[in-house]
Amino acid sequence: MVNGLVAPKRKDPLADAGTPLSRRAREAGGQPIGELMHRALARPELISLAAGFVDQASLPVEATRVALEQVLAEATAGKAALQYGTTLGFPRLRELLLARMRAADPGLSAASLERVIVTAGSNQLLHLLADTLLDPGDIVLVAAPTYFVFLGALASVGARSLGVAADAQGLVPESLDERFAALARSSELSRVKAIYATSYFDNPSGASIERQRRPRIVDLVQRWSQQAKRTIYLIEDTAYRELRYEGQDLPSLRSLDATGEHVILTGSFSKSFSPGIRVGWGLLPPELVQPVCDQKQNIDFGSPNFNQHLMAAVLESGLFDPHVAELRGRYRQKLKAMLDAAERHLGKVPGASWQRPQGGLYVWLTLPPHVDAGLHGRLFQLALDAGVLYVPGEYCYPAEGPKAAKNTVRLSFGVQDEAGIARGMKALGEALAEVC
Amino acid sequence: MVNGLVAPKRKDPLADAGTPLSRRAREAGGQPIGELMHRALARPELISLAAGFVDQASLPVEATRVALEQVLAEATAGKAALQYGTTLGFPRLRELLLARMRAADPGLSAASLERVIVTAGSNQLLHLLADTLLDPGDIVLVAAPTYFVFLGALASVGARSLGVAADAQGLVPESLDERFAALARSSELSRVKAIYATSYFDNPSGASIERQRRPRIVDLVQRWSQQAKRTIYLIEDTAYRELRYEGQDLPSLRSLDATGEHVILTGSFSKSFSPGIRVGWGLLPPELVQPVCDQKQNIDFGSPNFNQHLMAAVLESGLFDPHVAELRGRYRQKLKAMLDAAERHLGKVPGASWQRPQGGLYVWLTLPPHVDAGLHGRLFQLALDAGVLYVPGEYCYPAEGPKAAKNTVRLSFGVQDEAGIARGMKALGEALAEVC
């Protein structure tokens, strides 16, 4: 499975009066990537540089065991963890999350406990936000390229995703401003509901939004909200913030939004601790707390309470930070292995280049313009034959805006160990040499 | 929180051009029950006979501890539990579930591993089925009264819920047949996508579908599917099947569907083990496996894997059945306490009656016809003043079909102990005496 990889929806779903399926189900069917990946993954010998999975060896078995002993040591507390919780989430975990957010961002203001929500991964919160904010035809501005799973969430509610230029320093403020101005000129500003940005080590590009750009982006959202006479939200996805391998941490976009009325911060323990436990969170603008809770209550009456008690124990017992420190060390090595291998195996291909991220799980590769890295291109097939799997970059582009670059590739160093990364990159280099 | 209690949606949502919220979010806002319950629950001294929570004292702390020791005893297995899983669910758990389904229903046929899916509670599967099957305007037939959370799920996709008469023996086959015939006459048969039925100890009525009615209902679904020239599904919710306190188990509707092409079985460990762990499952018709997976992959890339490994260990270690046996003993006492108290405190009210369920968590009360048990009626307020909270039965009726009976009440004996049940019923009796 390739971590929710969703291909662009077909525009023209099967029209079959005899089907019992909903339109939504018919549109979801037959996603080309899903099918191909499925076939590919039937070959377990493949080296996957595609999956956004985390490093298997570093998963925190011992920390989880210790935390669970605490959760279940005492009968009353244990039973509380096994009972239903509340829609907003376990209060103690929300307190701990708020304290962590304050520690990470000393400049954070207007952050209070009742604005903190716990969700089943930050992914669930992204879906809840789509349900809460977006009607069909509404617009969300995203970096081009961006996190393709969120593009799927936007498509599933019928929203439009519009690309904004992004480079190695993240979202380009001038491009964002221009996009807003163009939408105002075409009288579409009223349809813009949100901007979505992964502010640290973006998936797929690996880029973080550069320090000077951050206040400018927040300012643009505030100014264009005034223009639109309605709040335009900035959804800040911080899923990878903890996974920094070099450089200094940066203030979150949320910490630059003094009233907290524009920026919605989302975070997750899936990458920094365990995706199998699947706990994420959000810091919401006050007027979104109740609407998001209403949507969540309709879906699940609150995320699994046991997992929330577990993560609270992990934080409270000081088990989290040492784990993250270990994780950073490990991923730092693996990132280095990937960059070294890129230098070795792709460095001599004229026109091939890649970004050097300071964290996260991804390296974004740009190939010579004539190379089609897509599923039906020669490179993907040759790479498969050579035993390596990647995510074609073109699927990370929104439907509108900068044209999807077919000569791009998302590589992940999450799953493979250093030897696997080296072998996979060698195979990719050979496939690329054959194409070029 | 009252377990996802969702009031009927307002027909006329706030039309406010200045709101950043989606239509869906505006419709969800301001649910009268949610608001009132919230206020009521701010009084912790209240005796809640409303919440569908499970018995706090019986939550399986020790069994969970033992199972987790196994999950985390060995590093490789522990890491597998902490990693992402697959969309369909943990294969070992699915095998164990299939074996249990076969043991519960010796007559079960056409059940194979690839048809078993694991979800975050059966509630998630109900939402996935709504997304997979229903377009706006599509029709689902439900018992009147029925599980109100599912009515919310239907409303959220714009589907119509049509009531079918149900009595102490569950859904009435003749009424189902008549409803189908009427829809055929009005040329609406093509919009009927499914029937939803809780086959054991229904929420809210406590009724199980009687043995002789079961094959007739399955047969009706098959015959009307032929008439409609398209599969009409029968969603069989078995969430309470394990919670039987007297009488013999009955064959599931699914076991009476030889090809397994019509009946979708949903089940859950939330009531029988722990809602905080939140693991449910489904046995799907073959043609729905991929479409449901497509929807699920779009939402969560699979339910929390750790919880699935935990439940597999619970089953594998023989920890589940002894727990359920203990639970049955406990709930049997509490049901008896509620029925005794009903006899004592409501028995002398002319026109008041209640069903005597053989299992589940609910007792369904019918009051004299002139009593309005709704949120804005006198009884609810008097009961609140006397310190007891219940769910007005009217919210359990679908939008169309048999008229919502305002003189009905759902009582749950899940949360309170025997003393709390007795006190709550006494308070309710006094409130009722004052109204009558």
Side-chain angles (χ1 to χ4, degrees), chain A residues 22 82 123 131-132 274 298-299, chain B residues 22 82 123 131-132 274 299:
Chain A
S22 66
L82 293 171
N123 182 62
D131 282 340
T132 302
S274 158
N298 202 18
I299 290 172
Chain B
S22 67
L82 293 171
N123 183 61
D131 283 342
T132 302
S274 157
I299 290 172

Side-chain angles (χ1 to χ4, degrees), chain B residues 64-109:
Chain B
T64 303
R65 210 185 50 68
V66 172
L68 283 169
E69 262 173 23
Q70 292 177 29
V71 170
L72 299 170
E74 197 269 307
T76 306
K79 285 171 184 173
L82 293 171
Q83 183 59 281
Y84 283 108
T86 63
T87 306
L88 209 48
F90 180 36
R92 182 67 190 128
L93 176 59
R94 290 165 51 229
E95 283 170 12
L96 291 160
L97 288 169
L98 182 58
R100 286 194 71 83
M101 286 188 262
R102 286 186 171 137
D105 278 313
L108 189 68
S109 61

Side-chain angles (χ1 to χ4, degrees), chain B residues 191-210:
Chain B
R191 300 311 299 267
V192 181
K193 291 293 190 70
I195 299 162
Y196 170 72
T198 300
S199 46
Y200 304 88
F201 322 120
D202 200 358
N203 174 0
S205 74
S208 295
I209 299 176
E210 184 268 338

Side-chain angles (χ1 to χ4, degrees), chain B residues 26-364:
Chain B
R26 281 176 280 143
E27 286 178 357
Q31 294 162 2
I33 290 208
E35 282 169 28
L36 202 129
M37 293 295 183
H38 229 77
R39 282 207 302 274
L41 291 175
R43 292 173 48 193
E45 78 283 7
L46 277 182
I47 297 172
S48 176
L49 301 178
F53 282 21
V54 299
D55 182 75
Q56 180 82 6
S58 64
L59 285 163
V61 173
E62 186 55 23
T64 303
R65 210 185 50 68
V66 172
L68 283 169
E69 262 173 23
Q70 292 177 29
V71 170
L72 299 170
E74 197 269 307
T76 306
K79 285 171 184 173
L82 293 171
Q83 183 59 281
Y84 283 108
T86 63
T87 306
L88 209 48
F90 180 36
R92 182 67 190 128
L93 176 59
R94 290 165 51 229
E95 283 170 12
L96 291 160
L97 288 169
L98 182 58
R100 286 194 71 83
M101 286 188 262
R102 286 186 171 137
D105 278 313
L108 189 68
S109 61
S112 58
L113 194 59
E114 62 274 17
R115 298 186 179 192
V116 180
I117 188 170
V118 180
T119 51
S122 53
N123 183 61
Q124 188 192 36
L125 181 51
L126 294 178
H127 275 86
L128 290 169
L129 290 169
D131 283 342
T132 302
L133 298 176
L134 302 173
D135 286 318
D138 280 350
I139 294 168
V140 176
L141 305 182
V142 302
T146 191
Y147 177 42
F148 49 70
V149 173
F150 189 58
L151 293 177
L154 296 179
S156 78
V157 296
R160 290 167 61 193
S161 53
L162 256 74
V164 172
D167 58 23
Q169 312 297 315
L171 211 62
V172 180
E174 292 73 19
S175 173
L176 180 61
D177 196 25
E178 277 162 27
R179 176 59 82 178
F180 270 126
L183 289 163
R185 284 194 301 274
S186 61
S187 302
E188 292 175 295
L189 189 59
S190 66
R191 300 311 299 267
V192 181
K193 291 293 190 70
I195 299 162
Y196 170 72
T198 300
S199 46
Y200 304 88
F201 322 120
D202 200 358
N203 174 0
S205 74
S208 295
I209 299 176
E210 184 268 338
R211 185 182 291 269
Q212 309 297 330
R213 287 185 180 180
R214 292 180 176 240
R216 292 167 62 200
I217 291 170
V218 173
D219 181 62
L220 281 171
V221 172
Q222 291 169 341
R223 286 202 293 113
W224 282 103
S225 291
Q226 284 186 337
Q227 198 76 16
K229 299 190 175 66
R230 185 183 37 69
T231 306
I232 296 171
Y233 294 102
L234 171 50
I235 303 171
E236 179 184 23
D237 186 335
T238 69
Y240 300 94
R241 183 172 188 176
E242 288 85 0
L243 301 186
R244 174 179 288 279
Y245 319 130
E246 55 180 272
Q248 291 272 314
D249 192 26
L250 295 166
S252 68
L253 299 170
R254 173 59 177 78
S255 71
L256 304 170
D257 178 26
T259 62
E261 286 172 3
H262 288 85
V263 179
I264 304 165
L265 182 143
T266 74
S268 174
F269 289 121
S270 286
K271 307 301 182 188
S272 59
F273 197 78
S274 157
I277 297 173
R278 194 78 54 81
V279 171
W281 66 89
L283 179 60
L284 303 177
E287 69 278 18
L288 287 188
V289 173
Q290 193 57 49
V292 168
C293 272
D294 286 345
Q295 292 302 316
K296 186 162 171 55
Q297 172 145 341
N298 203 18
I299 290 172
D300 69 6
F301 344 132
S303 296
N305 198 27
F306 186 70
N307 305 38
Q308 300 183 51
H309 283 247
L310 166 54
M311 285 313 303
V314 167
L315 293 176
E316 226 160 3
S317 314
L319 294 160
F320 182 71
D321 290 322
H323 175 70
V324 170
E326 188 193 319
L327 213 55
R328 283 198 197 105
R330 186 154 179 81
Y331 280 130
R332 189 180 290 118
Q333 299 287 345
K334 302 213 305 181
L335 169 57
K336 183 173 182 307
M338 182 167 274
L339 293 174
D340 288 352
E343 198 57 52
R344 191 170 322 125
H345 301 294
L346 311 174
K348 294 196 188 84
V349 180
S353 65
W354 53 92
Q355 296 182 15
R356 303 181 71 89
Q358 294 194 310
L361 292 177
Y362 307 102
V363 171
W364 180 249

Side-chain angles (χ1 to χ4, degrees), chain A residues 85-396:
Chain A
T86 62
T87 306
L88 208 50
F90 179 37
R92 182 67 190 129
L93 176 59
R94 291 164 50 227
E95 283 170 10
L96 291 160
L97 288 168
L98 181 58
R100 287 194 71 84
M101 287 188 259
R102 286 186 170 137
D105 278 313
L108 189 67
S109 60
S112 56
L113 194 59
E114 63 274 18
R115 298 186 179 191
V116 180
I117 188 171
V118 179
T119 52
S122 54
N123 182 62
Q124 187 192 36
L125 182 51
L126 294 178
H127 275 85
L128 290 171
L129 290 170
D131 282 340
T132 302
L133 298 176
L134 303 173
D135 286 318
D138 280 349
I139 294 168
V140 176
L141 304 181
V142 302
T146 193
Y147 177 41
F148 49 70
V149 173
F150 188 59
L151 294 177
L154 295 179
S156 77
V157 295
R160 291 167 61 193
S161 52
L162 256 75
V164 172
D167 58 24
Q169 311 297 314
L171 210 62
V172 180
E174 293 73 18
S175 174
L176 180 60
D177 197 25
E178 278 163 26
R179 175 59 81 178
F180 270 125
L183 288 163
R185 284 194 300 276
S186 61
S187 302
E188 293 175 293
L189 190 58
S190 65
R191 300 311 299 264
V192 181
K193 291 293 190 71
I195 299 162
Y196 169 73
T198 300
S199 46
Y200 304 89
F201 321 121
D202 201 359
N203 173 1
S205 74
S208 294
I209 299 176
E210 184 266 338
R211 185 182 290 269
Q212 309 297 329
R213 287 185 180 180
R214 292 181 176 239
R216 291 168 61 200
I217 290 169
V218 173
D219 181 61
L220 281 170
V221 172
Q222 292 169 340
R223 285 203 293 112
W224 282 104
S225 292
Q226 285 186 335
Q227 198 76 18
K229 298 191 178 64
R230 188 184 32 72
T231 307
I232 296 170
Y233 293 103
L234 171 50
I235 302 171
E236 178 184 23
D237 186 336
T238 69
Y240 301 94
R241 183 172 187 177
E242 288 85 0
L243 301 186
R244 173 178 288 280
Y245 319 129
E246 56 180 90
Q248 290 272 314
D249 191 26
L250 295 166
S252 67
L253 299 170
R254 173 60 178 78
S255 71
L256 304 170
D257 178 24
T259 62
E261 285 171 3
H262 288 85
V263 180
I264 303 166
L265 182 143
T266 75
S268 175
F269 290 120
S270 286
K271 307 301 181 187
S272 59
F273 197 78
S274 158
I277 296 173
R278 195 76 56 78
V279 171
W281 66 88
L283 179 60
L284 303 177
E287 68 279 16
L288 288 186
V289 173
Q290 192 57 49
V292 168
C293 272
D294 286 344
Q295 293 301 316
K296 187 163 172 52
Q297 172 146 339
N298 202 18
I299 290 172
D300 68 5
F301 345 131
S303 295
N305 198 28
F306 186 71
N307 305 36
Q308 299 184 52
H309 282 247
L310 166 54
M311 286 313 302
V314 167
L315 293 176
E316 225 160 4
S317 313
L319 295 160
F320 182 71
D321 290 323
H323 175 69
V324 170
E326 188 193 319
L327 213 56
R328 283 199 196 105
R330 183 150 183 84
Y331 281 130
R332 189 181 290 119
Q333 300 285 345
K334 301 212 307 181
L335 170 58
K336 182 173 184 306
M338 181 166 273
L339 293 174
D340 288 352
E343 198 58 52
R344 193 170 320 124
H345 302 294
L346 311 174
K348 296 199 186 81
V349 180
S353 66
W354 52 92
Q355 295 183 14
R356 304 181 71 88
Q358 295 193 309
L361 293 178
Y362 308 102
V363 170
W364 180 250
L365 192 60
T366 304
L367 302 175
H370 70 277
V371 175
D372 175 359
L375 289 183
H376 305 293
R378 242 183 103 215
L379 180 65
F380 192 86
Q381 194 54 55
L382 285 169
L384 261 191
D385 292 347
V388 65
L389 196 61
Y390 63 78
V391 172
E394 61 174 309
Y395 290 101
C396 306

